[in-house]
Amino acid sequence: MTLQTDVFDEWAAQVRAVRSGRWQPERDLAFWREKAAGYDAGQPSLPNTVTWLRERLAPAHSLLDVGAGTGRLTLPLASEVQQVTALDHSPEMLAVLRSKNPPAQVNLRCQALGDALRDPTLSPHDAVLSAWSLAYLPDLRGALTGLLRLARRDLFVLEDDGLGSPHVTLRRTLAGQPRPQRAPSLHRALKALGEEPELHRIGEVRELTFPHTAALLAQARLPLPEAEVLEVLQPYLTAVKDGWRYRWTFDVHVLHVRKAHS
Ligand SMILES: C[S@@+](CC[C@H](N)C(=O)[O-])C[C@H]1O[C@@H](n2cnc3c(N)ncnc32)[C@H](O)[C@@H]1O
């Protein structure tokens, strides 16, 4: 069995084993239909990642953001390029992006990646970005091959470090459902396709505040007594005048493929 078969088969098996069944497009679309309105409030902004990408985008003419969602990265990057395609299969996520009045060079395209890759009207862009948008695609080979074809100069694939917030990590550990580490598989998959992706880890900070302990416990949703929750989260907690400050750091993993001719 070749390395290629291993990584792509392993990925497909992992994706199809996810209990939510989101590898079925209608399930993923239903998920985003429900989550779209609240997505931004639950996500950290990524200032260091945006700065890092901005430095590498210029002087790209065009950017294709695959799984652009509500534009968390699309919008702060749009000023660096003359033409942006924000592709997403969820009309609700794109509706949130649209409600932010994106600049004129941002073209919203509501289409599934698989369909887009077969659509001759989607032409290559200088840079292609995929941030947290491949996790439920069983056909990773098809997706990455297509993204590499669409990227004239650079492909950026972003995933997190698989850790997430301390309380979610602990909740998953207690439930025996550790979060899958996707960045190493994506790295292997790109190598299996003959690329030499550079892996960059970009540190980001997340901070939440809670007016009182009950609000912190409600967010943490840990099956532990209050004293234990406070003890396990203690390294991340600071008592402030109006409750708690909860702060942790995490790494964004960026796989950067520079096309040979760039
Ligand atoms: C976790 S969100 C990430 C959004 C954005 N990239 C960000 O970092 O905030 C994943 C997005 O990918 C989109 N997506 C997932 N599978 C897709 C597919 N097959 N084709 C197009 N978009 C897809 C979802 O609709 C969702 O908006």
Side-chain angles (χ1 to χ4, degrees):
M1 198 181 273
T2 66
L3 175 65
Q4 253 168 300
T5 318
D6 286 345
V7 65
F8 296 115
D9 286 356
E10 272 169 31
W11 176 279
Q14 256 185 22
V15 167
R16 287 181 198 277
V18 174
R19 278 190 310 173
S20 64
R22 281 174 57 194
W23 57 273
Q24 299 162 88
E26 65 280 9
R27 294 269 182 98
D28 196 58
L29 287 168
F31 177 88
W32 291 114
R33 192 173 305 130
E34 196 191 310
K35 298 282 179 204
Y39 178 77
D40 286 345
Q43 295 300 314
S45 59
L46 301 168
N48 299 331
T49 307
V50 167
T51 302
W52 189 94
L53 285 167
R54 271 201 186 126
E55 284 165 2
R56 278 143 192 94
L57 273 180
H61 173 83
S62 57
L63 168 68
L64 169 64
D65 187 359
V66 172
T70 60
R72 175 166 61 147
L73 293 167
T74 327
L75 292 174
L77 295 175
S79 56
E80 297 302 320
V81 289
Q82 286 155 36
Q83 193 227 319
V84 182
T85 305
L87 176 92
D88 203 289
H89 70 165
S90 164
E92 290 82 8
M93 291 294 269
L94 286 181
V96 176
L97 203 174
R98 188 175 295 110
S99 73
K100 297 175 184 171
N101 296 320
Q105 72 267 32
V106 179
N107 172 35
L108 306 194
R109 186 170 177 131
C110 191
Q111 193 172 31
L113 176 61
D115 294 337
L117 293 178
R118 287 186 292 273
D119 186 338
T121 68
L122 182 62
S123 42
H125 288 55
D126 290 340
V128 173
L129 167 67
S130 165
W132 293 278
S133 60
L134 302 178
Y136 296 100
L137 297 185
D139 181 12
L140 185 62
R141 181 201 299 274
L144 288 178
T145 305
L147 297 186
L148 286 163
R149 179 174 53 77
L150 286 172
R152 264 195 294 260
R153 207 188 72 182
D154 298 283
L155 171 63
F156 302 100
V157 180
L158 273 57
E159 263 295 340
D160 51 54
D161 50 14
L163 295 176
S165 51
H167 64 283
V168 174
T169 303
L170 183 59
R171 198 192 301 146
R172 284 178 159 271
T173 306
L174 292 172
Q177 296 167 354
R179 199 147 178 258
Q181 295 262 344
R182 297 202 179 90
S185 303
L186 290 165
H187 192 258
R188 281 175 59 210
L190 284 164
K191 284 185 77 99
L193 292 173
E195 301 295 338
E196 285 299 330
E198 296 164 17
L199 170 62
H200 301 271
R201 294 182 180 84
I202 302 173
E204 299 283 5
V205 177
R206 184 87 199 268
E207 188 173 303
L208 302 174
T209 52
F210 298 96
H212 41 66
T213 303
L216 170 68
L217 296 175
Q219 170 96 19
R221 287 192 287 118
L222 286 165
L224 297 171
E226 175 178 328
E228 273 187 57
V229 174
L230 293 178
E231 191 185 327
V232 290
L233 296 184
Q234 189 269 333
Y236 313 100
L237 290 175
T238 309
V240 290
K241 188 163 64 74
D242 297 320
W244 292 104
R245 191 176 69 211
Y246 176 31
R247 188 175 189 275
W248 69 94
T249 57
F250 62 98
D251 282 348
V252 173
H253 288 198
V254 183
L255 295 165
H256 180 194
V257 176
R258 298 168 199 257
K259 300 296 283 284
H261 56 272
S262 64

